[in-house]
Amino acid sequence: MAEAPNHDEVLARFDELSVLEAEFDDAELEIIRKSNALNAPLYKKRAEIIAKIPHFWALAFEQAPPEIDNFLQPSDSQVFAEALESLDVTRFEIDDPKGSPRSVSITFGFKDNKFFEDKVLEKKFWYRKSKDWEGLVSEPVKIHWKKGNDLTGGLTDAAVALAQARKKLAKTNSAKSAETELPEYKALAEKLEMSTEASLSFFAWFGFVSSYRWITAEESEEASKADAERLEKLKQGEKVEDEEDDEDEQDFQETEVFPSGDEIATLIADDLFPSAIKYFKHAHETEDDELSEIDVEDGDDDDDESDEEIDIRGLVGKGRKADHSPPAKKQRKA
Amino acid sequence: MAEAPNHDEVLARFDELSVLEAEFDDAELEIIRKSNALNAPLYKKRAEIIAKIPHFWALAFEQAPPEIDNFLQPSDSQVFAEALESLDVTRFEIDDPKGSPRSVSITFGFKDNKFFEDKVLEKKFWYRKSKDWEGLVSEPVKIHWKKGNDLTGGLTDAAVALAQARKKLAKTNSAKSAETELPEYKALAEKLEMSTEASLSFFAWFGFVSSYRWITAEESEEASKADAERLEKLKQGEKVEDEEDDEDEQDFQETEVFPSGDEIATLIADDLFPSAIKYFKHAHETEDDELSEIDVEDGDDDDDESDEEIDIRGLVGKGRKADHSPPAKKQRKA
């Protein structure tokens, strides 16, 4: 800083930083690809071992850091303890030049349970761009709840209904504002107004759409193209006008059933899933030898209805008699 | 889970998971190496641009997530605003087969200021193992405070004194417990008892040693060797006895001046440093055009003493007149 920079010089630095940011972004995508290639065979091996360990994923979820654990209601933990058999995370667009290595699919495998008919619940998140936002968007996943056991009180059904109506609307009508006139919109907005976030089931996450708004593949492709053109101009040292903000007047969060759904997807994909062995082992360390006995006893509950009695907190030793030492402090990776 | 696993089978799975964890660890080290190779040239380019932007790092620190920002007292922000010129993060053992790609060095560059004589403060963190712990350890860094301006109230000096006495002791005496008898130990422990953590200066972080205890390179190498042997046995399917816990009776945290020093090192290395452009830009977005004017005005304060008047909160628009819109919510990477 030998000489004082003037206003134009400082602004030019901003453009240089923008060009550099795009290069950092490319490096990050390459790291995701490399990491995926290195870890995929290890995750496969892990899935084979885990399949032989009862309650592995329920225990891993229970011992995950509070950022994840906080989203689980006791009834959600009960479903996980009784029925969650597998968890898988894949980067389904990693080899797709039109897609993104940041797009991620999270798949839960369940055994027969009293809550829903589904054996598999897969939630896909696409990494997409609009003019003034980028991030993960998803489509609501239909859960076939058993009568009287819908943990979300109809939220996932209403979210699926609105998503379908929204798609139909997009085909027949180009007027954006019309979405708020849909009966499915009103139904979901009213349902959300009635429900309290404090007791929101984790399963409402399957109804998540976006922390911004739904973005189609086409819109995202256009935005990416515009981005690339803007970047090219910056590299050539051309002036680039800031895009106008034509902000949407619709409040999309009025019908978002799980406002931090993208955040929890990232937490599962980047923390819980990669570090699952650590969390699972930690569940065992907190209760020493005693616990493995319990696990073994629970191991044979596949073929009868005794499942329904399992309490995940009992499995990991939480909420037991007071003469036990408190669970050790949860640890993060350095 | 066709058949119920028995106790021995479940324990065997644990051993398989341990072997697998070591493979995941190797993959992670390769990712760190790959990431380092890809990003190093970009960080170099960035440093060149940043050198021309006044207050870049002070603004980045101010806009960093609360996990980092919370460690900064107003007087620390003042030092950063007035004197912080550069920040660099390097993986100094990345090519050292005896070292670790997780070891990290964080270097702050300062210009002349009223607080200390040092132009460079470098804090190195070595990733080391003991029998029952692994993580980052560091050596206290001497800060040459100017008279009356020691923001840590003598904590960094006392930490350096103890570290030196500890080294001397290690050479002359093998009795571990003797450390607590050192006058430097008592001096630091008393100083810490008097100070309150709530007002701890960020600069006390330069006195950090370990969240566990100091571990020498030799001890770490032995522990790594023992780990490797244990792993080899597990791979061969041999039984491995759990190591005995010969827990140290000394409470090392009694003389740790900055208890979460390893955490803040990780936050700086893995978040603030890689995402600095994002945080810096965010500082500007919160106050629109108006801010760049202010920056330009501040740009010429190199060559006189007007520096001392700068308030970093003024730079980023915080704490201004109430008719400004509140700063936008801090964002995290998806």
Side-chain angles (χ1 to χ4, degrees):
Chain A
M1 293 210 292
E3 48 194 271
N6 66 35
H7 189 76
D8 283 349
E9 272 179 32
V10 169
L11 289 183
R13 300 297 156 247
F14 273 71
D15 290 345
E16 288 178 55
L17 289 177
S18 294
V19 173
L20 194 57
E21 265 191 309
E23 291 180 57
F24 274 114
D25 199 54
D26 286 344
E28 199 179 316
L29 293 184
E30 196 172 328
I31 294 299
I32 296 176
R33 285 192 198 93
K34 173 83 177 169
S35 172
N36 198 67
L38 275 171
N39 285 311
L42 299 176
Y43 288 138
K44 199 165 165 272
K45 223 190 267 189
R46 188 180 69 178
E48 285 162 18
I49 302 171
I50 286 175
K52 298 173 195 155
I53 303 176
H55 309 298
F56 179 94
W57 285 110
L59 287 159
F61 264 101
E62 274 293 313
Q63 288 296 310
E67 289 90 334
I68 295 176
D69 192 44
N70 285 346
F71 287 101
L72 296 176
Q73 303 302 323
S75 49
D76 301 324
S77 296
Q78 196 194 341
V79 184
F80 283 3
E82 290 183 23
L84 182 59
E85 286 198 312
S86 65
L87 179 71
D88 198 19
V89 170
T90 56
R91 304 271 162 189
F92 60 94
E93 292 189 328
I94 201 140
D95 297 318
D96 177 358
K98 282 191 175 181
S100 168
R102 293 196 177 93
S103 294
V104 68
S105 167
I106 303 179
T107 307
F108 292 74
F110 296 96
K111 59 182 173 183
D112 275 341
N113 66 78
K114 67 177 180 197
F115 296 96
F116 43 75
E117 303 289 350
D118 312 86
K119 288 297 170 60
V120 170
L121 292 175
E122 181 186 8
K123 180 103 179 128
K124 287 173 98 164
F125 293 84
W126 290 268
Y127 193 84
R128 290 193 177 151
K129 285 184 184 203
S130 81
K131 257 199 294 193
D132 39 23
W133 184 86
E134 57 192 283
L136 296 170
V137 301
S138 183
E139 283 183 355
V141 172
K142 171 84 183 162
I143 302 180
H144 299 84
W145 295 104
K146 291 184 181 173
K147 206 170 148 48
N149 280 343
D150 182 343
L151 294 174
T152 70
L155 281 178
T156 49
D157 283 351
V160 169
L162 174 58
Q164 285 170 343
R166 185 185 285 141
K167 272 191 190 169
K168 243 184 245 170
L169 193 70
K171 278 184 199 153
T172 57
N173 185 336
S174 65
K176 262 187 177 178
S177 60
E179 181 179 322
T180 53
E181 304 299 324
L182 290 168
E184 289 86 354
Y185 183 96
K186 286 172 188 164
L188 180 51
E190 270 169 34
K191 224 175 230 316
L192 277 171
E193 217 175 334
M194 305 296 280
S195 79
T196 56
E197 213 197 307
S199 59
L200 194 65
S201 163
F202 172 81
F203 285 90
W205 174 75
F206 286 98
F208 171 80
V209 174
S210 170
S211 58
Y212 174 67
R213 63 169 167 80
W214 169 251
I215 296 172
T216 62
E218 292 71 32
E219 181 184 348
S220 186
E221 217 181 310
E222 270 175 47
S224 299
K225 236 175 85 180
D227 259 14
E229 285 168 6
R230 192 170 177 276
L231 197 65
E232 204 42 54
K233 283 188 189 168
L234 285 178
K235 278 186 195 165
Q236 308 294 332
E238 284 180 47
K239 282 266 172 219
V240 176
E241 294 298 314
D242 267 344
E243 306 250 348
E244 274 170 56
D245 252 359
D246 58 349
E247 260 187 47
D248 228 299
E249 279 174 36
Q250 185 179 335
D251 176 9
F252 289 91
Q253 295 315 303
E254 202 173 21
T255 50
E256 178 46 66
V257 301
F258 201 98
S260 38
D262 47 357
E263 194 187 316
I264 205 168
T266 305
L267 288 166
I268 291 174
D270 293 351
D271 182 357
L272 180 74
F273 187 72
S275 302
I277 298 178
K278 183 186 75 181
Y279 294 132
F280 169 73
K281 282 194 162 176
H282 193 252
H284 280 261
E285 280 159 14
T286 54
E287 284 293 310
D288 299 303
D289 301 348
E290 191 187 353
L291 184 65
S292 45
E293 300 290 342
I294 295 172
D295 256 340
V296 174
E297 282 161 28
D298 288 334
D300 61 356
D301 53 27
D302 260 61
D303 36 21
D304 60 34
E305 287 300 301
S306 69
D307 260 350
E308 291 181 26
E309 305 280 68
I310 296 176
D311 172 10
I312 186 66
R313 289 190 160 71
L315 282 173
V316 294
K318 282 184 186 171
R320 290 228 201 125
K321 292 177 227 92
D323 56 354
H324 281 98
S325 56
K329 205 180 147 200
K330 290 184 182 186
Q331 292 190 329
R332 304 289 182 75
K333 245 182 193 168
Chain B
M1 292 210 294
E3 49 193 88
N6 66 36
H7 189 77
D8 283 349
E9 273 179 32
V10 168
L11 289 183
R13 300 297 155 249
F14 272 71
D15 289 345
E16 288 177 55
L17 288 178
S18 294
V19 172
L20 194 56
E21 265 191 309
E23 291 180 56
F24 273 113
D25 199 53
D26 287 345
E28 200 179 316
L29 293 185
E30 196 172 328
I31 294 299
I32 296 175
R33 284 192 199 95
K34 172 84 177 169
S35 173
N36 198 67
L38 275 172
N39 285 312
L42 299 178
Y43 288 137
K44 197 163 167 274
K45 222 189 268 188
R46 189 180 70 177
E48 286 161 18
I49 301 171
I50 286 175
K52 296 172 196 155
I53 303 176
H55 309 297
F56 179 95
W57 286 109
L59 288 159
F61 263 101
E62 274 293 313
Q63 288 296 309
E67 290 89 334
I68 294 176
D69 191 45
N70 286 347
F71 287 102
L72 295 177
Q73 303 303 322
S75 49
D76 301 324
S77 296
Q78 196 195 341
V79 183
F80 283 2
E82 291 183 21
L84 182 59
E85 286 198 311
S86 65
L87 178 70
D88 199 19
V89 170
T90 55
R91 304 272 163 188
F92 60 94
E93 292 189 328
I94 200 138
D95 297 318
D96 177 357
K98 282 192 174 181
S100 167
R102 292 195 177 92
S103 294
V104 68
S105 167
I106 303 178
T107 306
F108 292 76
F110 295 96
K111 59 181 174 185
D112 275 341
N113 66 79
K114 69 176 178 199
F115 296 97
F116 43 76
E117 304 288 350
D118 311 86
K119 288 295 170 61
V120 170
L121 291 176
E122 180 186 9
K123 181 103 179 129
K124 287 173 98 165
F125 293 84
W126 291 268
Y127 194 83
R128 290 195 176 151
K129 286 185 184 202
S130 81
K131 257 199 293 193
D132 38 24
W133 184 87
E134 56 191 284
L136 296 170
V137 301
S138 185
E139 282 183 356
V141 172
K142 172 83 182 163
I143 301 180
H144 299 84
W145 296 103
K146 291 187 181 171
K147 204 169 150 52
N149 280 343
D150 182 344
L151 294 173
T152 70
L155 281 179
T156 49
D157 283 351
V160 169
L162 175 58
Q164 284 169 346
R166 185 186 284 139
K167 272 191 190 169
K168 242 183 245 169
L169 193 70
K171 279 185 198 151
T172 57
N173 185 336
S174 65
K176 262 185 177 180
S177 61
E179 180 179 324
T180 54
E181 305 300 324
L182 290 167
E184 290 85 356
Y185 183 96
K186 287 173 188 165
L188 181 50
E190 270 168 34
K191 225 175 229 315
L192 277 170
E193 219 175 333
M194 304 297 280
S195 79
T196 57
E197 211 197 307
S199 60
L200 194 65
S201 164
F202 172 80
F203 286 90
W205 174 74
F206 287 98
F208 171 79
V209 174
S210 169
S211 58
Y212 174 67
R213 62 169 168 78
W214 170 250
I215 296 173
T216 63
E218 294 71 31
E219 181 184 348
S220 185
E221 216 181 312
E222 271 176 43
S224 299
K225 237 176 85 182
D227 259 15
E229 285 168 6
R230 192 170 176 275
L231 197 65
E232 205 42 55
K233 283 189 188 167
L234 284 177
K235 279 186 193 163
Q236 309 293 332
E238 282 178 48
K239 284 264 174 221
V240 175
E241 295 298 314
D242 269 342
E243 305 251 348
E244 274 170 56
D245 253 358
D246 57 349
E247 261 188 47
D248 229 300
E249 279 173 36
Q250 185 179 337
D251 175 10
F252 289 93
Q253 295 315 301
E254 202 174 22
T255 51
E256 178 46 64
V257 301
F258 201 97
S260 37
D262 47 355
E263 195 187 317
I264 205 167
T266 305
L267 287 167
I268 291 174
D270 293 351
D271 182 356
L272 180 75
F273 187 72
S275 302
I277 299 178
K278 182 184 76 182
Y279 294 131
F280 169 73
K281 283 193 163 180
H282 193 252
H284 280 261
E285 280 158 15
T286 54
E287 285 292 311
D288 301 303
D289 301 349
E290 190 187 352
L291 184 65
S292 46
E293 301 291 343
I294 293 171
D295 255 341
V296 173
E297 284 161 28
D298 288 335
D300 61 357
D301 51 29
D302 261 63
D303 35 21
D304 60 34
E305 286 302 299
S306 68
D307 261 348
E308 292 181 27
E309 303 279 68
I310 296 175
D311 172 9
I312 185 67
R313 289 187 161 71
L315 282 174
V316 294
K318 282 182 186 172
R320 292 233 198 120
K321 293 177 226 93
D323 57 354
H324 282 99
S325 54
K329 205 179 145 202
K330 290 183 182 187
Q331 294 189 330
R332 305 288 183 76
K333 246 183 191 168

